[in-house]
Amino acid sequence: MAKVAYYPGCALKDRSSHLDRSARDAAVRLGFELDELETWTCCGAVPPVSEERVMNLIASSRILKSVRDSGRDTLVTICDFCYNTLKRVNYRIRNDEVARRRVNSYLAEEAPQRDYIEKDDSPWNDYLGEVRVLHLMEYLRDVVGYDGIAKGVVRSFKGVRIAPYYGCVMLRPHKEIQLDNPENPSIIEGFVEALGAEVVRYPYRTECCGSYLSVSSPDTSTRLCYRILTSAQQHGAQAMVMSCPLCFHNLDTRQKAISEAYPDFRPIPVFYFSQLLSLALGVGVEDQGFEKHYVDVTPVLEMIRDGSGRVDTE
Amino acid sequence: MHEPRIVCFLCTWCTSAGADLAGTSRLQYTPSGVNIRFMCSSRVDPEHVLWAFREGADGVLIGGCHPGDCHYQDGNYRTHARVALLHRLLDDFGIDRERLRLEWISAAEGTKFARVMNEFTEELRSLGPIKLAAREMAE
Amino acid sequence: MKRIGVFVCHCGINIADTVDVKRVAEEASRMPGVVFARDYIYMCSDPGQALVRETISQEKLDGVIIAACSPSLHESTFRAAAQEVGLNPWQVEIANIREQCSWVHTDRKKATDKAIRIVSTMVEKTLLNESLSPIPVRITKRALVIGGGIAGIQAALDIADSGHEVILVEKDSSIGGHMAQLSETFPTLDCSQCILTPKMVAAGKHRNIRLMTYSEVEEVSGYVGNFNVRIRRKAPFVDWSVCTGCGLCMEKCPAKVPSEFDRGLSTHGAIYVPFPQAVPNKPVIDRDSCIYFRTGKCRLCEKVCEIGAIRFEQEDEIIEEEVGAIVAAPGYDTLPVTELKEYGSGEVPDVIDGLAFERLLSASGPTGGEVRRPSDGKVPKEVVFVQCAGSRDPERYKPYCSKICCMYTTKHALLYKHRVHDGQPYIFYIDIRTGGKGYEEFYHRAEQEEGIIYLRGKVAKIFQDGDKTVVWGTDTLSGRNVEIEADLVVLATAVVSRDSTGELVKKLRIQTGPNGFLSEAHPKLRPVESINSGFFIAGAAQGPKDIPETVAQASGAACKVISLFSRDHLEQDPAIAWVDEELCGGCRICVSVCPYDAREFDEERGIATVNEALCEGCGSCVAACACGATQQRNLSDSQIRRMVTASLGGE
């Protein structure tokens, strides 16, 4: 089975480990293995690209370099934040000579401890941005292909109306990310269609969910999530799908606060894209970690059919 | 002190007009150079430059229109390329590269013309006279 | 050796204060070939010029140096004076000892020394100067005007009125251009059609204008005064010479094609005229949408045409013409709404561009002048106008200001308010730019008397929500975000250069700037000429501009053409490149460096030649010539060498 270098990142290893698992299961059913890097560190999350400090680029560069040094040219991630960070650091390394030189001199300095990190005794080679960083969503679109997904689908989402949600970091800044049109994207729509579900188009799909404001200003995040979810519902959505663990967290668990603040609000099940994918490909409902969700997903699961009829949701 | 002598090859549309503007603005600069007006800086043959050094010039200034502004579309780009090659040749002759200077000076840049003349003269002063051996080689 | 006279001007005290003019004259008299040298207080005065003329005759001079001000001021003066007494003008040279000497130096001794070297430099040049005469070039007094918008129409009419023939080429089947689409024009609100149609008719009927609509320029060769043009006349599939324009065919045609003229807000048949006032008022068949051409069946138009004007077998025609001057007025486009992703990518039906709104306002438009929105035909009660949609946005779209939008948006809002009294127009703007006669007053009227709400800020996003079109913007004056649930949104999309302009400039070999607009020869002093002789430019293809400016520029371009045609032949500066055929090795480097295609390779003789009519005399090929075969007249390599030596004070 083809192996693809895989970087899970912190969220997918801890609170959202069920999403990591569903992605791995789905990959296997599509004929490839998400091969987790043997050793990896935090990508650095937002600071590497939000501050003008070269030091901040090192964490991501170290990860990318280890991928390159292991002879691989592609790194897949399934978290929008990791994707954004790794891809933008890579862009910086490719395009900013000063940053490239400084980062490499730092990396060279820690080379003596490299054995611990990389178990590699090849001669030192500057990292020049050689690795291609792909979102699993991008891998599905460009490598597996939507046809490839459709072929593997064993459970039918026919008639399920799903609203794609993009959030902020998956598509922007466009110059560096180049994944899809940031104003009018289509990548998640294509994915939803490949599963056989019905795409719901609504205006708020690229609006912010509040991101980290859910910590410092939860009311703001509540208001933003409310607008997004109700807009999707008004356009007929029965479920939401996204590819960012933070958006996922906000849009799911924040529904408690939303229900308290807005009495008219009706909850809506929220899925991570890897969950829908693995469900469609036949992975068991019990392997999805739905028990961790705040909003009950059963109403959606009840609409999914497989060869023998209704899927067992117990 | 050594008083440098400069030959200035100026295009008529931009740099010579800029030199005229320096005059009408009564800007003062050192009288170290004499201007030779061409239609375009691309008329300057590398041989003219070498000839100037042979004849005792301490420096040669070529003045053209800013990139994109050439009256003849792209003559200044050709000049740019020729000067780059000529600089290498000067190395071989043992003539300091700094003695051949290419400047984009527009018809509106009288001040730049005056400044360049002063700067260039100062630079040539500090370089001193061209070594005789180099001059003979140029011959 | 030549007999040279040197005249040193005092220019009052301008030169004489700093430069010892007497000493300059004295030194000059000892220079090679100089038989006469003296100073004089004002050389350019009448007595000064008389002195030059008399001396030339008395001393039998065959070379003259005037040491005075910049050649840009009086070179032509003294050359004309010399010519009066029979001396070839190219034997007269100016030594610039004012702008480039006396005015920029203070040390009298050094300035005098420099002045002497300047004079010496020009003496060396003059010693080797040849007598030249201007190169006469014959001229075909017929003009080609490309583009039948208001710019092309105006230029064609002006040239034709002066008695010269004009070929007016228009790619569409009718002339009129964008101006024909407009409802009313700012700031006077006169009806665009009413002022344009008479001009269209005049151009169509003028005995000196040959209208070639539905035609495109294929190829242009030759040079100023003598262009050869190939024009493709696209097959209209209708014999225009017999068609009466009755319109029966158009009524009966079963095909439905979105009207380009109405910006897709209406449809017409596959056989159509773009608008009722078309000139010429003859239909064409759109091959791509014609049912017969697509399926082989139908020919309904042929059946109903009583005079049998339909010609399905017609083919494109190539017409060759000779012209002496070309006016390029290919017009503009606006940035397609589909490019503006944050404004709905053209997928929201009630987000339209300014030209579409013009059609909604126009009495002859698809709604008969009633403002009805495209989605459901309802009269919109809240309309948001968004300025700078794609303009002044260097990161994503166009960096420049489209210039006309502030005014036409104000006009739109005002006309909307006149049609829908209880409607509310909003205008989002970055700045309001009203540079033009009566423009600021017009804006004030709109803002203060007509109840239009101006919001200073950009619009972030536009999307459809139910039957509303939601606009998210910001009001930077109050610092608040604004959300408007509008019924209709009108985008003032950026004025852009047409894609076809890019193809046209390649055929004409003229230039465009970084944004694809035609380049003028000088941004201030030669605004209607291309840098290449014989090409003139007009209209918004040169840059966004309003109607009065376009018309002025078109008349300016026409005037340049007429001035060109007022001569019997053209005179080219003879100080150009020439080839010593004995020396030329045929390497063709010169051919590759020439920006004007003036250097050609003669296959038969194996040498490079100079097309004298095309050569502009830049000298780039002279410097590039590896064997010295190419030289520039009166600026040969040997002249330059002697000038360099003299400038350094050597012999």
Side-chain angles (χ1 to χ4, degrees):
Chain A
M1 191 175 291
K3 288 185 174 184
V4 186
Y6 166 57
Y7 177 82
C10 59
L12 278 293
K13 264 314 205 198
D14 179 39
R15 182 192 283 270
S16 308
S17 57
H18 54 300
L19 308 181
D20 167 69
R21 183 175 170 193
S22 63
R24 289 168 189 263
D25 290 346
V28 171
R29 304 227 169 187
L30 287 170
F32 62 97
E33 184 189 332
L34 288 176
D35 182 19
E36 183 176 335
L37 300 179
E38 203 170 319
T39 51
W40 52 268
T41 60
C42 170
C43 66
V46 197
V49 285
S50 65
E51 277 181 56
E52 269 302 304
R53 287 186 54 203
V54 174
M55 196 67 193
N56 290 341
L57 305 177
I58 290 178
S60 281
S61 301
R62 186 191 292 126
I63 296 160
L64 291 163
K65 183 175 181 302
S66 78
V67 174
R68 195 235 15 217
D69 289 347
S70 69
R72 288 174 289 187
D73 61 0
T74 304
L75 178 65
V76 168
T77 165
I78 69 169
C79 159
D80 285 0
F81 266 96
C82 299
Y83 174 67
N84 184 282
T85 307
L86 289 165
K87 191 148 187 185
R88 292 179 67 192
V89 168
N90 210 31
Y91 180 89
R92 188 80 188 274
I93 297 292
R94 284 181 187 179
N95 295 288
D96 179 346
E97 202 194 326
V98 175
R100 179 165 66 232
R101 252 191 280 132
R102 289 193 64 193
V103 164
N104 277 295
S105 75
Y106 281 113
L107 291 178
E109 218 169 278
E110 61 178 33
Q113 297 105 47
R114 206 154 41 103
D115 287 349
Y116 163 71
I117 300 166
E118 295 167 12
K119 296 200 175 102
D120 174 13
D121 52 12
S122 58
W124 179 259
N125 246 333
D126 272 5
Y127 179 64
L128 308 173
E130 295 96 331
V131 172
R132 197 163 55 127
V133 179
L134 295 182
H135 196 294
L136 181 57
M137 199 64 110
E138 193 176 9
Y139 191 85
L140 294 173
R141 179 187 71 183
D142 299 340
V143 182
V144 177
Y146 293 143
D147 291 349
I149 298 176
K151 268 185 224 149
V153 170
V154 295
R155 291 197 179 118
S156 167
F157 278 78
K158 198 164 188 300
V160 185
R161 296 194 299 275
I162 302 178
Y165 175 71
Y166 286 90
C168 55
V169 292
M170 186 188 193
L171 305 169
R172 294 166 194 269
H174 180 60
K175 188 176 148 200
E176 297 167 37
I177 302 290
Q178 299 277 340
L179 173 65
D180 202 346
N181 188 307
E183 302 290 355
N184 191 11
S186 60
I187 184 165
I188 307 184
E189 280 79 355
F191 167 80
V192 170
E193 277 167 5
L195 300 182
E198 199 179 306
V199 172
V200 174
R201 290 173 202 279
Y202 66 110
Y204 285 78
R205 65 195 169 126
T206 56
E207 295 309 317
C208 179
C209 69
S211 190
Y212 289 121
L213 287 180
S214 56
V215 180
S216 59
S217 174
D219 290 349
T220 306
S221 186
T222 301
R223 182 165 50 84
L224 294 172
C225 290
Y226 169 71
R227 280 180 73 149
I228 294 161
L229 295 170
T230 47
S231 170
Q233 284 172 320
Q234 280 162 10
H235 286 79
Q238 296 164 326
M240 308 289 295
V241 61
M242 65 216 58
S243 61
C244 169
L246 185 54
C247 301
F248 178 76
H249 175 78
N250 277 347
L251 290 177
D252 183 46
T253 52
R254 197 137 289 285
Q255 291 194 31
K256 182 166 185 280
I258 295 172
S259 302
E260 286 160 12
Y262 302 93
D264 64 320
F265 181 73
R266 292 172 288 114
I268 175 169
V270 174
F271 293 90
Y272 208 63
F273 77 103
S274 58
Q275 293 176 315
L276 288 185
L277 180 64
S278 67
L279 272 179
L281 297 173
V283 178
V285 173
E286 66 284 3
D287 295 329
Q288 305 293 347
F290 289 136
E291 67 281 1
K292 291 190 182 178
H293 289 216
Y294 170 74
V295 180
D296 182 15
V297 298
T298 318
V300 174
L301 298 181
E302 281 174 347
M303 288 189 275
I304 304 174
R305 298 280 184 280
D306 63 13
S308 55
R310 212 181 213 189
V311 174
D312 180 17
T313 55
E314 291 308 312
Chain B
M1 204 196 322
H2 176 67
E3 264 314 297
R5 284 179 298 174
I6 305 172
V7 176
C8 311
F9 296 112
L10 312 182
C11 88
T12 194
W13 304 100
C14 288
T15 312
S16 186
D20 278 355
L21 180 64
T24 31
S25 320
R26 308 298 201 278
L27 303 171
Q28 298 298 307
Y29 56 86
T30 131
S32 47
V34 167
N35 302 336
I36 296 179
R37 190 169 58 102
F38 288 171
M39 294 308 278
C40 177
S41 61
S42 68
R43 174 66 186 94
V44 181
D45 189 320
E47 254 181 49
H48 303 151
V49 176
L50 294 177
W51 179 266
F53 285 126
R54 175 192 187 273
E55 292 293 290
D58 296 290
V60 174
L61 172 73
I62 301 176
C65 308
H66 282 272
D69 290 350
C70 179
H71 187 81
Y72 302 101
Q73 299 182 18
D74 55 3
N76 50 0
Y77 292 121
R78 299 197 184 284
T79 311
H80 185 72
R82 287 169 187 162
V83 167
L85 287 172
L86 193 49
H87 271 145
R88 289 205 210 165
L89 198 62
L90 291 182
D91 292 345
D92 293 345
F93 283 136
I95 296 173
D96 311 282
R97 282 176 175 229
E98 295 77 22
R99 292 182 187 275
L100 169 60
R101 188 158 173 162
L102 174 62
E103 289 286 348
W104 310 133
I105 301 172
S106 80
E109 292 176 326
T111 34
K112 183 173 181 187
F113 184 81
R115 195 190 74 221
V116 165
M117 287 309 292
N118 283 334
E119 274 177 17
F120 195 23
T121 308
E122 204 44 54
E123 196 177 355
L124 292 170
R125 255 188 215 130
S126 64
L127 282 172
I130 292 190
K131 286 185 204 74
L132 198 62
R135 187 154 278 156
E136 276 168 1
M137 216 166 147
E139 275 178 48
Chain C
M1 186 173 281
K2 264 191 172 162
R3 295 176 60 80
I4 292 175
V6 177
F7 300 83
V8 185
C9 183
H10 296 207
C11 194
I13 57 166
N14 280 302
I15 295 172
D17 244 18
T18 324
V19 170
D20 182 346
V21 286
K22 294 232 180 293
R23 212 187 127 224
V24 174
E26 201 182 297
E27 287 292 329
S29 67
R30 287 198 279 273
M31 291 175 189
V34 176
V35 296
F36 178 92
R38 69 160 288 183
D39 58 293
Y40 188 77
I41 182 152
Y42 283 114
M43 283 313 304
C44 61
S45 66
D46 272 350
Q49 291 189 44
L51 175 68
V52 175
R53 286 197 303 266
E54 281 159 23
T55 314
I56 290 171
S57 308
Q58 278 166 17
E59 298 285 335
K60 299 187 169 36
L61 298 182
D62 48 15
V64 167
I65 316 285
I66 313 286
C69 54
S70 166
S72 61
L73 295 170
H74 283 306
E75 185 180 75
S76 54
T77 313
F78 291 110
R79 285 188 167 179
Q83 194 167 24
E84 279 179 47
V85 288
L87 179 64
N88 184 285
W90 279 270
Q91 299 292 2
V92 179
E93 295 285 356
I94 303 289
N96 182 349
I97 60 165
R98 192 179 75 172
E99 281 84 349
Q100 299 186 2
C101 187
S102 73
W103 274 353
V104 287
H105 308 311
T106 38
D107 184 318
R108 189 167 167 87
K109 185 178 174 300
K110 284 182 180 167
T112 306
D113 279 350
K114 179 173 164 179
I116 293 165
R117 280 183 284 138
I118 293 173
V119 171
S120 167
T121 304
M122 295 318 287
V123 168
E124 289 296 335
K125 177 177 196 289
T126 311
L127 279 172
L128 292 181
N129 266 2
E130 296 173 65
S131 290
L132 303 174
S133 42
I135 300 162
V137 180
R138 93 187 162 90
I139 177 165
T140 306
K141 296 186 183 182
R142 183 185 302 120
L144 170 70
V145 176
I146 303 168
I150 181 59
I153 292 172
Q154 184 65 42
L157 283 172
D158 286 345
I159 298 168
D161 283 345
S162 77
H164 299 295
E165 280 178 53
V166 179
I167 300 167
L168 177 55
V169 172
E170 163 59 46
K171 70 172 172 39
D172 290 336
S173 67
S174 168
I175 56 172
H178 282 310
M179 192 178 163
Q181 290 175 286
L182 308 185
S183 56
E184 282 149 53
T185 54
F186 62 78
T188 46
L189 296 186
D190 35 7
C191 146
S192 183
Q193 289 263 356
C194 315
I195 55 179
L196 176 67
T197 316
K199 278 199 183 286
M200 290 165 62
V201 173
K205 288 207 168 130
H206 204 295
R207 62 191 174 87
N208 285 334
I209 296 180
R210 242 179 86 196
L211 210 53
M212 291 182 65
T213 61
Y214 215 48
S215 301
E216 285 181 48
V217 171
E218 283 263 302
E219 195 187 324
V220 173
S221 56
Y223 46 87
V224 55
N226 298 278
F227 293 108
N228 294 303
V229 194
R230 281 161 61 86
I231 301 163
R232 174 180 296 272
R233 188 167 186 274
K234 294 175 278 187
F237 305 109
V238 175
D239 185 343
W240 282 5
S241 63
V242 297
C243 171
T244 60
C246 72
L248 201 56
C249 53
M250 298 188 277
E251 270 170 46
K252 300 290 177 194
C253 179
K256 288 269 176 286
V257 188
S259 160
E260 206 180 308
F261 186 81
D262 278 342
R263 305 294 276 184
L265 297 174
S266 71
T267 59
H268 53 58
I271 185 164
Y272 71 104
V273 294
F275 54 103
Q277 304 86 338
V279 172
N281 197 356
K282 312 278 182 179
V284 295
I285 296 178
D286 173 12
R287 204 188 163 109
D288 296 333
S289 35
C290 170
I291 293 168
Y292 169 67
F293 276 117
R294 278 171 39 225
T295 66
K297 281 189 194 124
C298 182
R299 298 180 86 124
L300 199 58
C301 49
E302 194 178 42
K303 280 167 213 140
V304 300
C305 182
E306 285 170 9
I307 47 166
I310 307 294
R311 298 277 185 280
F312 287 111
E313 71 292 348
Q314 216 172 39
E315 283 178 6
D316 289 3
E317 219 182 317
I318 299 289
I319 293 152
E320 297 200 22
E321 288 290 346
E322 286 185 2
V323 297
I326 297 177
V327 178
Y332 69 97
D333 269 330
T334 55
L335 190 72
V337 178
T338 49
E339 299 267 314
L340 298 160
K341 308 294 180 202
E342 67 274 35
Y343 296 162
S345 307
E347 287 161 17
V348 182
D350 292 325
V351 176
I352 61 175
D353 68 4
L355 279 172
F357 196 65
E358 292 286 348
R359 297 312 300 148
L360 289 183
L361 292 170
S362 172
S364 62
T367 55
E370 282 181 51
V371 182
R372 293 185 175 280
R373 64 183 196 176
S375 62
D376 54 11
K378 278 190 195 152
V379 176
K381 297 295 180 192
E382 297 208 54
V383 180
V384 174
F385 296 89
V386 182
Q387 290 191 181
C388 302
S391 305
R392 301 180 70 187
D393 190 345
E395 288 196 353
R396 294 180 306 163
Y397 303 108
K398 305 294 177 187
Y400 52 83
C401 165
S402 290
K403 195 170 183 179
I404 56 174
C405 331
C406 283
M407 288 310 295
Y408 82 59
T409 300
T410 293
K411 176 194 78 178
H412 281 170
L414 195 140
L415 291 176
Y416 164 70
K417 193 75 185 152
H418 289 184
R419 305 277 202 286
V420 184
H421 301 300
D422 59 342
Q424 180 58 59
Y426 302 86
I427 297 179
F428 279 95
Y429 68 99
I430 304 178
D431 298 294
I432 294 289
R433 297 181 166 176
T434 58
K437 208 178 186 178
Y439 289 9
E440 178 70 8
E441 297 91 318
F442 184 70
Y443 158 60
H444 268 275
R445 178 179 147 202
E447 193 202 16
Q448 291 169 5
E449 295 169 24
E450 305 275 359
I452 297 162
I453 296 177
Y454 280 81
L455 295 160
R456 180 174 168 279
K458 289 208 79 166
V459 168
K461 184 166 177 163
I462 299 172
F463 57 89
Q464 190 175 8
D465 208 5
D467 75 335
K468 293 288 184 186
T469 301
V470 182
V471 178
W472 284 356
T474 186
D475 177 3
T476 55
L477 294 181
S478 68
R480 292 208 180 126
N481 286 340
V482 181
E483 181 172 335
I484 300 172
E485 293 195 350
D487 300 309
L488 179 67
V489 176
V490 181
L491 303 178
T493 45
V495 171
V496 298
S497 170
R498 293 202 145 127
D499 292 342
S500 57
T501 300
E503 292 155 29
L504 181 68
V505 296
K506 278 189 209 125
K507 292 173 192 161
L508 304 185
R509 285 168 291 136
I510 60 175
Q511 291 78 44
T512 51
N515 294 307
F517 292 110
L518 299 177
S519 296
E520 60 281 3
H522 187 283
K524 311 216 164 35
L525 302 178
R526 295 174 70 195
V528 300
E529 292 157 82
S530 158
I531 192 101
N532 299 38
S533 315
F535 292 96
F536 304 90
I537 56 180
Q542 184 256 352
K545 53 177 66 68
D546 57 24
I547 296 167
E549 238 188 304
T550 298
V551 172
Q553 202 190 15
S555 286
C559 193
K560 288 280 171 191
V561 172
I562 296 163
S563 137
L564 185 73
F565 288 176
S566 69
R567 285 171 275 179
D568 291 327
H569 58 262
L570 300 174
E571 286 189 351
Q572 293 266 106
D573 186 347
I576 57 170
W578 66 282
V579 178
D580 184 334
E581 298 183 359
E582 299 276 310
L583 290 180
C584 178
C587 73
R588 307 182 216 195
I589 287 174
C590 52
V591 179
S592 71
V593 302
C594 181
Y596 301 100
D597 295 337
R599 300 305 310 265
E600 293 157 356
F601 186 69
D602 184 334
E603 297 282 351
E604 245 170 61
R605 291 188 293 164
I607 56 161
T609 58
V610 177
N611 183 330
E612 295 196 337
L614 290 181
C615 179
E616 297 266 339
C618 67
S620 188
C621 62
V622 187
C625 181
C627 50
T630 299
Q631 286 299 331
Q632 187 163 14
R633 294 201 191 277
N634 287 358
L635 200 61
S636 66
D637 286 333
S638 44
Q639 272 175 302
I640 293 169
R641 275 197 296 274
R642 292 174 71 156
M643 290 166 79
V644 167
T645 306
S647 76
L648 291 162
E651 289 299 312

